[in-house]
Amino acid sequence: MTAAVLTARALLLDMDGTLVNSDAVVERIWRRWAGRHGLDGDEVMKVVHGRQGHASMALLLPDRPVERNRADNVRMLAEETADMDGVAPVPGAPEFLAALRGLPHALVTSADVALSTARMAAAGLPLPDVRVTAESVGASKPDPEGFLKGAAELGVEPADCVVFEDSGAGIAAGRAAGMRVIGIGPRAAVHRPDAVVQDLTRVRVEPTADGTVRLHVG
């Protein structure tokens, strides 16, 4: 864990692994998928966090047509949306989101509208007013498109945004967008974000008189 103080004009928040612990569901569904395709489940799990499903499939089954990956992704999203067993808030997430009320922030997730709405509800978390979901972008993380769209919707320059992420793909996307990144949880640490903490209990939000947000991390 690293300690830091970062100042931002807007916060861009990943969902899975950052606000919501959905690891149990993701493991169940992707390991089933790996078994159907004769792939090693452990190797599959190294790839799938942070990306849209079809982007993970393109890496894991590079010779398969894009159309089949996208059709398979639709089925996977439906499976995930129907399975909320074990979904819970990341420690500190309810208090963190409560502290952001009235401050510029957005959800930037590789999940679609249905899945993000269901998982946030299952975790008992409020949905931010501004949301960038799978339907909003043409390219999955690690492409920076989602974070750039989030910044644009909030009317804030990318350099004035701080990203909260747990995955390598998400951290790379935040960096490519020209933003600073706070890593949440054990997956984040190996990707060297600007600061990293175990969970959101280690982040304190301090609004300032000039409209910026000071983040005490660690």
Side-chain angles (χ1 to χ4, degrees):
M1 185 174 71
T2 56
V5 178
L6 287 78
T7 301
R9 294 200 170 274
L11 309 185
L12 302 177
L13 316 173
D14 174 51
M15 181 181 70
D16 291 301
T18 300
L19 298 173
V20 174
N21 183 346
S22 55
D23 281 3
V25 184
V26 173
E27 288 260 348
R28 276 197 297 275
I29 285 172
W30 276 101
R31 285 185 182 277
R32 277 205 301 267
W33 182 89
R36 288 198 294 269
H37 294 282
L39 298 173
D40 180 86
D42 291 341
E43 294 304 311
V44 167
M45 295 313 302
K46 291 176 184 175
V47 170
V48 300
H49 291 291
R51 291 181 170 85
Q52 291 187 37
H54 64 83
S56 297
M57 293 170 193
L59 291 172
L60 293 161
L61 297 173
D63 297 328
R64 197 163 76 149
V66 171
E67 298 75 22
R68 282 193 60 196
N69 288 339
R70 288 192 174 273
D72 210 359
N73 187 44
V74 170
R75 287 191 292 273
M76 294 276 283
L77 284 168
E79 275 188 69
E80 289 186 270
T81 305
D83 184 354
M84 292 295 137
D85 188 22
V87 171
V90 165
E95 297 81 4
F96 175 70
L97 287 172
L100 295 185
R101 210 170 284 133
L103 301 175
H105 66 288
L107 188 72
V108 181
T109 176
S110 293
D112 63 3
V113 169
L115 181 56
S116 57
T117 302
R119 278 195 180 151
M120 290 289 279
L125 299 174
L127 276 168
D129 292 337
V130 177
R131 301 184 287 278
V132 179
T133 61
E135 295 93 338
S136 313
V137 297
S140 168
K141 299 171 185 176
D143 191 281
E145 182 185 359
F147 287 125
L148 292 172
K149 282 202 168 185
E153 285 201 41
L154 292 170
V156 176
E157 290 297 317
D160 291 327
C161 296
V162 168
V163 165
F164 285 73
E165 265 286 0
D166 72 302
S167 71
I171 290 167
R175 282 220 185 92
M179 301 171 182
R180 291 154 295 155
V181 182
I182 295 174
I184 306 297
R187 274 194 295 271
V190 298
H191 301 287
R192 304 178 71 105
D194 295 277
V196 62
V197 288
Q198 182 177 335
D199 56 44
L200 290 166
T201 65
R202 308 300 301 175
V203 179
R204 182 166 63 85
V205 177
E206 180 193 356
T208 65
D210 66 359
T212 60
V213 180
R214 194 173 291 132
L215 298 164
H216 300 264
V217 184

